[in-house]
Amino acid sequence: MAEAVGERMGVVTALVRSAFLVDAVYADSAREYGLTQQQGQLLCVLMPRSYGMGELGEVLGLAKSSLSGLVDRTAKRGLVRRETDPSDSRAVRVGLTEEGGRLAGEFYAETCRRIERLPSGLGDDERQALADLLARVVRDNEVPPVFMVLDEDQG
Amino acid sequence: MAEAVGERMGVVTALVRSAFLVDAVYADSAREYGLTQQQGQLLCVLMPRSYGMGELGEVLGLAKSSLSGLVDRTAKRGLVRRETDPSDSRAVRVGLTEEGGRLAGEFYAETCRRIERLPSGLGDDERQALADLLARVVRDNEVPPVFMVLDEDQG
DNA sequence: GATGGATGGTTCGCGGTACGAACGAGTATC
DNA sequence: GATACTCGTTCGTACCGCGAACCATCCATC
């Protein structure tokens, strides 16, 4: 019943614990850039383009009211900006400010470096196998683009 | 630069997104049992045995003050109990109440079912390969036993 | 057996997170 | 132009997470 060394870990436990691990790394990295995990996530989502609030809520899995506050706080730090949609004056488009873009880039790069270290015990082929398997899980479950897709540029 | 369909996903993105996915499933499951994610995590950690506060803080990656509050709130719901350590009257041992144990069991089982569905697009051998690779990452990075280790019993 | 540091936890104040309900403003439909 | 619908905000509530300050106990040393 106790955790036996060398015992085989099930896929459920492996998924949950690796998520826990990634979360911790992500939060640590964010903290060092003066961000919360959520703000970091927001910046990363906005890196490629701006989003409407509704869209953004769906991507991040947040209720409208939750997102409103998150954008408020992040805007107060000057990292994000609300722009009115010219085609619909109710709607709001949220985009990075210049400062936000810069910080997002740095935070993203640093976080990538840290996450990349996690599977350093695996060989290149194993790492690729892991990426492929996880990618299928991610795609099968239609995970929104919560983290950028640029890491194919990074070797 | 945009997300091309069929493009190969790097291991970093795959890890981050799968973590995001698992988190969402975990939080959803907790919510349906009237728990927050953190309370669910706490219950799961306590399933095999009771812990001291310090120990528990390390396992969950929380500061002492954060944990104190979490235990308070969870105890107020009758799911967890503080017991004084007979060998050290400063120390506190936190354990599940009967109700907490019952709820933990149900929540754990349901969460496992849901997480298990995530890699349903993989074949048996692929799922096992994924489990093995992730297990190595988890072990290499010394992730604490934040989720139970019993899922080898579940086929 | 007194003293002076470690150690285990709690409390407090602060900012952040997340939600649903209620609301106002704008758009769309008819 | 009335009605319904959508977009987003505000509000109240509960929760989370931290550091700093604090208290009680333990323990090592004298």
Tab-separated table of all heavy atoms in Angstrom, chain D residues 5-27:
chain	number	residue	atom	x	y	z
D	5	DC	P	-33.721	34.979	-26.239
D	5	DC	OP1	-34.410	33.703	-26.214
D	5	DC	OP2	-33.365	35.647	-24.964
D	5	DC	O5'	-32.379	34.851	-27.086
D	5	DC	C5'	-32.179	35.654	-28.243
D	5	DC	C4'	-30.824	36.334	-28.208
D	5	DC	O4'	-30.976	37.724	-27.827
D	5	DC	C3'	-29.818	35.737	-27.203
D	5	DC	O3'	-28.631	35.447	-27.919
D	5	DC	C2'	-29.614	36.837	-26.184
D	5	DC	C1'	-29.869	38.080	-27.024
D	5	DC	N1	-30.228	39.320	-26.272
D	5	DC	C2	-29.574	40.517	-26.578
D	5	DC	O2	-28.720	40.518	-27.475
D	5	DC	N3	-29.907	41.657	-25.901
D	5	DC	C4	-30.841	41.603	-24.950
D	5	DC	N4	-31.125	42.749	-24.331
D	5	DC	C5	-31.519	40.389	-24.611
D	5	DC	C6	-31.185	39.285	-25.283
D	6	DT	P	-27.481	34.555	-27.271
D	6	DT	OP1	-27.160	33.462	-28.197
D	6	DT	OP2	-27.793	34.276	-25.859
D	6	DT	O5'	-26.271	35.583	-27.298
D	6	DT	C5'	-26.000	36.313	-28.490
D	6	DT	C4'	-25.010	37.401	-28.169
D	6	DT	O4'	-25.673	38.488	-27.471
D	6	DT	C3'	-23.867	36.936	-27.260
D	6	DT	O3'	-22.640	37.308	-27.878
D	6	DT	C2'	-24.128	37.654	-25.949
D	6	DT	C1'	-24.853	38.901	-26.407
D	6	DT	N1	-25.749	39.541	-25.411
D	6	DT	C2	-25.643	40.894	-25.200
D	6	DT	O2	-24.849	41.596	-25.788
D	6	DT	N3	-26.519	41.395	-24.274
D	6	DT	C4	-27.472	40.698	-23.553
D	6	DT	O4	-28.207	41.266	-22.748
D	6	DT	C5	-27.519	39.287	-23.811
D	6	DT	C7	-28.504	38.430	-23.068
D	6	DT	C6	-26.663	38.773	-24.724
D	7	DC	P	-21.282	37.174	-27.176
D	7	DC	OP1	-20.221	36.986	-28.192
D	7	DC	OP2	-21.448	36.216	-26.060
D	7	DC	O5'	-21.125	38.614	-26.549
D	7	DC	C5'	-20.694	39.707	-27.362
D	7	DC	C4'	-20.107	40.757	-26.461
D	7	DC	O4'	-21.170	41.239	-25.611
D	7	DC	C3'	-19.012	40.218	-25.534
D	7	DC	O3'	-17.860	41.051	-25.631
D	7	DC	C2'	-19.652	40.228	-24.150
D	7	DC	C1'	-20.735	41.299	-24.279
D	7	DC	N1	-21.927	41.084	-23.425
D	7	DC	C2	-22.457	42.148	-22.667
D	7	DC	O2	-21.900	43.252	-22.708
D	7	DC	N3	-23.558	41.930	-21.910
D	7	DC	C4	-24.134	40.730	-21.885
D	7	DC	N4	-25.222	40.579	-21.129
D	7	DC	C5	-23.627	39.636	-22.647
D	7	DC	C6	-22.524	39.856	-23.394
D	8	DG	P	-16.505	40.634	-24.981
D	8	DG	OP1	-15.381	41.297	-25.668
D	8	DG	OP2	-16.501	39.162	-24.794
D	8	DG	O5'	-16.670	41.310	-23.554
D	8	DG	C5'	-16.657	42.734	-23.480
D	8	DG	C4'	-17.194	43.193	-22.151
D	8	DG	O4'	-18.487	42.619	-21.916
D	8	DG	C3'	-16.356	42.787	-20.939
D	8	DG	O3'	-15.594	43.919	-20.535
D	8	DG	C2'	-17.394	42.367	-19.893
D	8	DG	C1'	-18.727	42.692	-20.537
D	8	DG	N9	-19.784	41.744	-20.203
D	8	DG	C8	-19.883	40.421	-20.578
D	8	DG	N7	-20.958	39.835	-20.117
D	8	DG	C5	-21.604	40.824	-19.394
D	8	DG	C6	-22.814	40.788	-18.666
D	8	DG	O6	-23.589	39.834	-18.509
D	8	DG	N1	-23.105	42.016	-18.083
D	8	DG	C2	-22.307	43.141	-18.193
D	8	DG	N2	-22.743	44.220	-17.573
D	8	DG	N3	-21.190	43.187	-18.870
D	8	DG	C4	-20.890	42.004	-19.442
D	9	DT	P	-14.822	43.940	-19.173
D	9	DT	OP1	-13.768	44.958	-19.323
D	9	DT	OP2	-14.471	42.564	-18.791
D	9	DT	O5'	-15.895	44.496	-18.136
D	9	DT	C5'	-16.484	45.768	-18.365
D	9	DT	C4'	-17.366	46.167	-17.186
D	9	DT	O4'	-18.473	45.246	-17.100
D	9	DT	C3'	-16.659	46.123	-15.834
D	9	DT	O3'	-16.863	47.376	-15.182
D	9	DT	C2'	-17.329	44.978	-15.097
D	9	DT	C1'	-18.689	44.875	-15.765
D	9	DT	N1	-19.258	43.497	-15.801
D	9	DT	C2	-20.437	43.244	-15.165
D	9	DT	O2	-21.055	44.084	-14.548
D	9	DT	N3	-20.882	41.946	-15.275
D	9	DT	C4	-20.264	40.909	-15.952
D	9	DT	O4	-20.749	39.788	-15.982
D	9	DT	C5	-19.023	41.254	-16.595
D	9	DT	C7	-18.269	40.224	-17.361
D	9	DT	C6	-18.583	42.516	-16.490
D	10	DT	P	-16.161	47.662	-13.773
D	10	DT	OP1	-15.943	49.121	-13.732
D	10	DT	OP2	-15.036	46.734	-13.585
D	10	DT	O5'	-17.284	47.299	-12.695
D	10	DT	C5'	-18.581	47.843	-12.837
D	10	DT	C4'	-19.479	47.338	-11.714
D	10	DT	O4'	-19.943	45.993	-12.014
D	10	DT	C3'	-18.801	47.263	-10.345
D	10	DT	O3'	-19.683	47.821	-9.382
D	10	DT	C2'	-18.596	45.767	-10.122
D	10	DT	C1'	-19.769	45.172	-10.882
D	10	DT	N1	-19.575	43.799	-11.406
D	10	DT	C2	-20.547	42.859	-11.195
D	10	DT	O2	-21.558	43.079	-10.577
D	10	DT	N3	-20.280	41.620	-11.744
D	10	DT	C4	-19.167	41.255	-12.474
D	10	DT	O4	-19.061	40.124	-12.908
D	10	DT	C5	-18.183	42.285	-12.653
D	10	DT	C7	-16.936	41.999	-13.419
D	10	DT	C6	-18.433	43.496	-12.121
D	11	DC	P	-19.207	48.115	-7.886
D	11	DC	OP1	-19.843	49.380	-7.490
D	11	DC	OP2	-17.738	47.961	-7.794
D	11	DC	O5'	-19.899	46.933	-7.068
D	11	DC	C5'	-21.240	46.562	-7.354
D	11	DC	C4'	-21.634	45.351	-6.532
D	11	DC	O4'	-21.384	44.141	-7.286
D	11	DC	C3'	-20.875	45.197	-5.215
D	11	DC	O3'	-21.794	44.850	-4.190
D	11	DC	C2'	-19.909	44.052	-5.487
D	11	DC	C1'	-20.704	43.213	-6.484
D	11	DC	N1	-19.865	42.365	-7.378
D	11	DC	C2	-20.282	41.065	-7.692
D	11	DC	O2	-21.332	40.637	-7.221
D	11	DC	N3	-19.516	40.315	-8.512
D	11	DC	C4	-18.391	40.821	-9.006
D	11	DC	N4	-17.668	40.054	-9.816
D	11	DC	C5	-17.951	42.136	-8.700
D	11	DC	C6	-18.712	42.874	-7.886
D	12	DG	P	-21.387	45.041	-2.618
D	12	DG	OP1	-22.456	45.810	-1.968
D	12	DG	OP2	-19.978	45.480	-2.504
D	12	DG	O5'	-21.485	43.540	-2.094
D	12	DG	C5'	-22.657	42.785	-2.391
D	12	DG	C4'	-22.416	41.329	-2.090
D	12	DG	O4'	-21.660	40.732	-3.179
D	12	DG	C3'	-21.593	41.088	-0.815
D	12	DG	O3'	-22.226	40.059	-0.065
D	12	DG	C2'	-20.218	40.670	-1.330
D	12	DG	C1'	-20.564	40.011	-2.658
D	12	DG	N9	-19.495	40.074	-3.654
D	12	DG	C8	-18.670	41.147	-3.917
D	12	DG	N7	-17.816	40.909	-4.875
D	12	DG	C5	-18.080	39.617	-5.263
D	12	DG	C6	-17.476	38.809	-6.263
D	12	DG	O6	-16.560	39.096	-7.020
D	12	DG	N1	-18.060	37.543	-6.326
D	12	DG	C2	-19.087	37.110	-5.529
D	12	DG	N2	-19.507	35.861	-5.729
D	12	DG	N3	-19.663	37.849	-4.594
D	12	DG	C4	-19.115	39.081	-4.523
D	13	DT	P	-21.661	39.611	1.359
D	13	DT	OP1	-22.830	39.319	2.189
D	13	DT	OP2	-20.623	40.579	1.785
D	13	DT	O5'	-20.933	38.235	1.013
D	13	DT	C5'	-21.659	37.212	0.333
D	13	DT	C4'	-20.727	36.090	-0.028
D	13	DT	O4'	-19.896	36.488	-1.144
D	13	DT	C3'	-19.773	35.701	1.101
D	13	DT	O3'	-19.972	34.340	1.435
D	13	DT	C2'	-18.384	35.955	0.521
D	13	DT	C1'	-18.633	35.904	-0.978
D	13	DT	N1	-17.646	36.668	-1.764
D	13	DT	C2	-17.031	36.048	-2.835
D	13	DT	O2	-17.263	34.911	-3.157
D	13	DT	N3	-16.128	36.823	-3.513
D	13	DT	C4	-15.782	38.120	-3.223
D	13	DT	O4	-14.955	38.711	-3.911
D	13	DT	C5	-16.461	38.719	-2.093
D	13	DT	C7	-16.150	40.120	-1.703
D	13	DT	C6	-17.359	37.966	-1.428
D	14	DA	P	-19.338	33.712	2.787
D	14	DA	OP1	-20.368	32.887	3.402
D	14	DA	OP2	-18.650	34.800	3.532
D	14	DA	O5'	-18.211	32.746	2.212
D	14	DA	C5'	-18.577	31.736	1.276
D	14	DA	C4'	-17.334	31.255	0.575
D	14	DA	O4'	-16.811	32.305	-0.268
D	14	DA	C3'	-16.200	30.877	1.541
D	14	DA	O3'	-15.780	29.549	1.250
D	14	DA	C2'	-15.116	31.900	1.245
D	14	DA	C1'	-15.414	32.269	-0.203
D	14	DA	N9	-14.876	33.582	-0.555
D	14	DA	C8	-15.052	34.765	0.109
D	14	DA	N7	-14.421	35.785	-0.438
D	14	DA	C5	-13.793	35.229	-1.539
D	14	DA	C6	-12.967	35.774	-2.533
D	14	DA	N6	-12.616	37.053	-2.574
D	14	DA	N1	-12.510	34.936	-3.489
D	14	DA	C2	-12.868	33.652	-3.442
D	14	DA	N3	-13.645	33.015	-2.558
D	14	DA	C4	-14.069	33.875	-1.626
D	15	DC	P	-14.789	28.787	2.174
D	15	DC	OP1	-15.434	27.497	2.403
D	15	DC	OP2	-14.357	29.667	3.286
D	15	DC	O5'	-13.505	28.574	1.271
D	15	DC	C5'	-13.637	28.383	-0.116
D	15	DC	C4'	-12.406	28.892	-0.811
D	15	DC	O4'	-12.403	30.325	-0.823
D	15	DC	C3'	-11.099	28.489	-0.128
D	15	DC	O3'	-10.465	27.534	-0.949
D	15	DC	C2'	-10.299	29.795	-0.044
D	15	DC	C1'	-11.059	30.724	-0.974
D	15	DC	N1	-10.934	32.159	-0.653
D	15	DC	C2	-10.161	32.971	-1.486
D	15	DC	O2	-9.598	32.470	-2.460
D	15	DC	N3	-10.043	34.281	-1.189
D	15	DC	C4	-10.665	34.783	-0.122
D	15	DC	N4	-10.516	36.083	0.123
D	15	DC	C5	-11.461	33.965	0.733
D	15	DC	C6	-11.567	32.669	0.432
D	16	DC	P	-9.170	26.780	-0.443
D	16	DC	OP1	-9.119	25.506	-1.171
D	16	DC	OP2	-9.137	26.829	1.016
D	16	DC	O5'	-8.015	27.716	-0.999
D	16	DC	C5'	-7.867	27.869	-2.385
D	16	DC	C4'	-6.714	28.790	-2.675
D	16	DC	O4'	-7.051	30.117	-2.247
D	16	DC	C3'	-5.420	28.416	-1.964
D	16	DC	O3'	-4.432	28.236	-2.947
D	16	DC	C2'	-5.132	29.605	-1.041
D	16	DC	C1'	-5.888	30.725	-1.729
D	16	DC	N1	-6.356	31.824	-0.849
D	16	DC	C2	-5.918	33.120	-1.080
D	16	DC	O2	-5.125	33.312	-1.999
D	16	DC	N3	-6.364	34.120	-0.283
D	16	DC	C4	-7.228	33.861	0.698
D	16	DC	N4	-7.652	34.874	1.443
D	16	DC	C5	-7.692	32.539	0.944
D	16	DC	C6	-7.234	31.549	0.162
D	17	DG	P	-3.127	27.442	-2.641
D	17	DG	OP1	-2.638	26.854	-3.891
D	17	DG	OP2	-3.370	26.617	-1.451
D	17	DG	O5'	-2.132	28.597	-2.237
D	17	DG	C5'	-1.618	29.443	-3.243
D	17	DG	C4'	-0.798	30.508	-2.566
D	17	DG	O4'	-1.679	31.416	-1.919
D	17	DG	C3'	0.114	29.949	-1.480
D	17	DG	O3'	1.456	30.041	-1.936
D	17	DG	C2'	-0.142	30.841	-0.270
D	17	DG	C1'	-1.016	31.943	-0.808
D	17	DG	N9	-2.038	32.402	0.118
D	17	DG	C8	-2.984	31.636	0.769
D	17	DG	N7	-3.771	32.338	1.540
D	17	DG	C5	-3.319	33.640	1.389
D	17	DG	C6	-3.779	34.833	1.970
D	17	DG	O6	-4.709	34.990	2.766
D	17	DG	N1	-3.033	35.933	1.544
D	17	DG	C2	-1.980	35.881	0.668
D	17	DG	N2	-1.381	37.020	0.370
D	17	DG	N3	-1.541	34.770	0.112
D	17	DG	C4	-2.255	33.690	0.514
D	18	DC	P	2.657	29.673	-1.020
D	18	DC	OP1	3.762	29.290	-1.911
D	18	DC	OP2	2.219	28.772	0.049
D	18	DC	O5'	3.033	31.078	-0.397
D	18	DC	C5'	3.437	32.125	-1.268
D	18	DC	C4'	3.570	33.398	-0.486
D	18	DC	O4'	2.294	33.770	0.040
D	18	DC	C3'	4.487	33.271	0.713
D	18	DC	O3'	5.754	33.804	0.374
D	18	DC	C2'	3.811	34.104	1.800
D	18	DC	C1'	2.493	34.542	1.198
D	18	DC	N1	1.358	34.282	2.097
D	18	DC	C2	0.750	35.350	2.759
D	18	DC	O2	1.192	36.477	2.593
D	18	DC	N3	-0.294	35.101	3.573
D	18	DC	C4	-0.743	33.857	3.736
D	18	DC	N4	-1.784	33.668	4.535
D	18	DC	C5	-0.136	32.758	3.070
D	18	DC	C6	0.912	33.012	2.271
D	19	DG	P	6.980	33.528	1.359
D	19	DG	OP1	8.205	33.579	0.534
D	19	DG	OP2	6.689	32.383	2.223
D	19	DG	O5'	6.953	34.841	2.276
D	19	DG	C5'	6.981	36.124	1.665
D	19	DG	C4'	6.831	37.183	2.733
D	19	DG	O4'	5.520	37.091	3.334
D	19	DG	C3'	7.825	37.066	3.889
D	19	DG	O3'	8.168	38.388	4.292
D	19	DG	C2'	7.031	36.329	4.958
D	19	DG	C1'	5.624	36.868	4.722
D	19	DG	N9	4.548	35.932	5.079
D	19	DG	C8	4.489	34.594	4.783
D	19	DG	N7	3.399	34.018	5.218
D	19	DG	C5	2.703	35.039	5.846
D	19	DG	C6	1.455	35.013	6.507
D	19	DG	O6	0.694	34.063	6.673
D	19	DG	N1	1.115	36.263	7.004
D	19	DG	C2	1.880	37.397	6.882
D	19	DG	N2	1.389	38.499	7.425
D	19	DG	N3	3.047	37.435	6.258
D	19	DG	C4	3.401	36.227	5.767
D	20	DA	P	9.343	38.593	5.345
D	20	DA	OP1	10.174	39.661	4.755
D	20	DA	OP2	9.941	37.297	5.707
D	20	DA	O5'	8.605	39.178	6.637
D	20	DA	C5'	7.519	40.093	6.456
D	20	DA	C4'	6.878	40.393	7.798
D	20	DA	O4'	5.802	39.445	8.038
D	20	DA	C3'	7.816	40.293	8.983
D	20	DA	O3'	7.531	41.365	9.878
D	20	DA	C2'	7.497	38.930	9.584
D	20	DA	C1'	6.012	38.785	9.267
D	20	DA	N9	5.567	37.399	9.090
D	20	DA	C8	6.221	36.393	8.423
D	20	DA	N7	5.562	35.251	8.410
D	20	DA	C5	4.396	35.533	9.107
D	20	DA	C6	3.285	34.739	9.445
D	20	DA	N6	3.160	33.448	9.105
D	20	DA	N1	2.291	35.326	10.145
D	20	DA	C2	2.415	36.623	10.488
D	20	DA	N3	3.422	37.464	10.219
D	20	DA	C4	4.376	36.846	9.527
D	21	DA	P	8.428	41.598	11.166
D	21	DA	OP1	8.614	43.059	11.292
D	21	DA	OP2	9.594	40.693	11.128
D	21	DA	O5'	7.454	41.119	12.334
D	21	DA	C5'	6.108	41.574	12.340
D	21	DA	C4'	5.310	40.775	13.353
D	21	DA	O4'	4.993	39.468	12.819
D	21	DA	C3'	6.047	40.532	14.676
D	21	DA	O3'	5.208	40.954	15.744
D	21	DA	C2'	6.305	39.028	14.683
D	21	DA	C1'	5.141	38.514	13.839
D	21	DA	N9	5.385	37.209	13.219
D	21	DA	C8	6.480	36.831	12.497
D	21	DA	N7	6.423	35.585	12.053
D	21	DA	C5	5.212	35.125	12.535
D	21	DA	C6	4.559	33.895	12.409
D	21	DA	N6	5.069	32.849	11.751
D	21	DA	N1	3.353	33.754	13.005
D	21	DA	C2	2.847	34.802	13.681
D	21	DA	N3	3.357	36.010	13.850
D	21	DA	C4	4.560	36.115	13.248
D	22	DC	P	5.717	40.883	17.255
D	22	DC	OP1	5.020	41.972	17.977
D	22	DC	OP2	7.192	40.781	17.266
D	22	DC	O5'	5.119	39.501	17.763
D	22	DC	C5'	3.729	39.245	17.610
D	22	DC	C4'	3.439	37.800	17.923
D	22	DC	O4'	3.977	36.965	16.881
D	22	DC	C3'	4.081	37.282	19.217
D	22	DC	O3'	3.080	37.166	20.217
D	22	DC	C2'	4.657	35.920	18.838
D	22	DC	C1'	4.121	35.676	17.436
D	22	DC	N1	5.058	34.890	16.587
D	22	DC	C2	4.720	33.577	16.239
D	22	DC	O2	3.670	33.104	16.661
D	22	DC	N3	5.565	32.859	15.466
D	22	DC	C4	6.705	33.411	15.033
D	22	DC	N4	7.491	32.670	14.259
D	22	DC	C5	7.065	34.739	15.368
D	22	DC	C6	6.224	35.444	16.139
D	23	DC	P	3.598	36.945	21.742
D	23	DC	OP1	2.739	37.809	22.569
D	23	DC	OP2	5.074	37.026	21.823
D	23	DC	O5'	3.202	35.421	21.995
D	23	DC	C5'	1.972	34.926	21.510
D	23	DC	C4'	1.964	33.412	21.648
D	23	DC	O4'	2.741	32.837	20.557
D	23	DC	C3'	2.606	32.905	22.945
D	23	DC	O3'	1.731	31.955	23.518
D	23	DC	C2'	3.927	32.280	22.490
D	23	DC	C1'	3.584	31.835	21.066
D	23	DC	N1	4.751	31.728	20.138
D	23	DC	C2	4.923	30.549	19.389
D	23	DC	O2	4.117	29.631	19.530
D	23	DC	N3	5.975	30.466	18.539
D	23	DC	C4	6.825	31.480	18.418
D	23	DC	N4	7.835	31.356	17.560
D	23	DC	C5	6.661	32.689	19.170
D	23	DC	C6	5.626	32.766	20.009
D	24	DA	P	2.006	31.405	25.014
D	24	DA	OP1	0.696	31.344	25.686
D	24	DA	OP2	3.139	32.138	25.629
D	24	DA	O5'	2.484	29.922	24.739
D	24	DA	C5'	1.654	29.084	23.966
D	24	DA	C4'	2.409	27.831	23.618
D	24	DA	O4'	3.433	28.150	22.648
D	24	DA	C3'	3.122	27.197	24.814
D	24	DA	O3'	2.691	25.848	24.913
D	24	DA	C2'	4.604	27.312	24.493
D	24	DA	C1'	4.613	27.456	22.977
D	24	DA	N9	5.703	28.263	22.448
D	24	DA	C8	6.040	29.538	22.809
D	24	DA	N7	7.068	30.021	22.138
D	24	DA	C5	7.413	28.993	21.271
D	24	DA	C6	8.419	28.877	20.309
D	24	DA	N6	9.281	29.848	20.029
D	24	DA	N1	8.491	27.714	19.627
D	24	DA	C2	7.613	26.749	19.907
D	24	DA	N3	6.620	26.736	20.793
D	24	DA	C4	6.575	27.900	21.445
D	25	DT	P	3.148	24.996	26.176
D	25	DT	OP1	2.006	24.124	26.504
D	25	DT	OP2	3.774	25.894	27.170
D	25	DT	O5'	4.296	24.078	25.565
D	25	DT	C5'	4.019	23.362	24.370
D	25	DT	C4'	5.325	22.977	23.738
D	25	DT	O4'	6.083	24.154	23.406
D	25	DT	C3'	6.240	22.128	24.610
D	25	DT	O3'	6.313	20.852	24.004
D	25	DT	C2'	7.577	22.874	24.607
D	25	DT	C1'	7.430	23.769	23.377
D	25	DT	N1	8.242	25.003	23.348
D	25	DT	C2	9.261	25.107	22.422
D	25	DT	O2	9.536	24.219	21.649
D	25	DT	N3	9.945	26.292	22.461
D	25	DT	C4	9.710	27.367	23.305
D	25	DT	O4	10.394	28.379	23.239
D	25	DT	C5	8.630	27.199	24.235
D	25	DT	C7	8.283	28.292	25.189
D	25	DT	C6	7.950	26.033	24.216
D	26	DC	P	6.999	19.656	24.773
D	26	DC	OP1	6.324	18.430	24.301
D	26	DC	OP2	7.097	19.982	26.203
D	26	DC	O5'	8.457	19.663	24.140
D	26	DC	C5'	8.618	19.299	22.784
D	26	DC	C4'	10.002	19.681	22.341
D	26	DC	O4'	10.225	21.076	22.640
D	26	DC	C3'	11.131	18.905	23.040
D	26	DC	O3'	11.880	18.268	22.039
D	26	DC	C2'	11.895	19.976	23.797
D	26	DC	C1'	11.585	21.225	22.964
D	26	DC	N1	11.730	22.530	23.649
D	26	DC	C2	12.673	23.452	23.186
D	26	DC	O2	13.384	23.143	22.221
D	26	DC	N3	12.788	24.648	23.806
D	26	DC	C4	11.992	24.952	24.845
D	26	DC	N4	12.147	26.147	25.402
D	26	DC	C5	11.019	24.029	25.322
D	26	DC	C6	10.922	22.842	24.710
D	27	DC	P	12.816	17.048	22.420
D	27	DC	OP1	12.741	16.084	21.311
D	27	DC	OP2	12.545	16.641	23.811
D	27	DC	O5'	14.269	17.729	22.384
D	27	DC	C5'	14.579	18.632	21.342
D	27	DC	C4'	15.873	19.364	21.654
D	27	DC	O4'	15.596	20.576	22.381
D	27	DC	C3'	16.873	18.584	22.515
D	27	DC	O3'	18.141	18.817	21.986
D	27	DC	C2'	16.697	19.218	23.882
D	27	DC	C1'	16.483	20.664	23.469
D	27	DC	N1	15.857	21.546	24.465
D	27	DC	C2	16.291	22.881	24.571
D	27	DC	O2	17.181	23.282	23.826
D	27	DC	N3	15.714	23.695	25.485
D	27	DC	C4	14.735	23.230	26.272
D	27	DC	N4	14.182	24.063	27.138
D	27	DC	C5	14.285	21.878	26.187
D	27	DC	C6	14.863	21.073	25.276
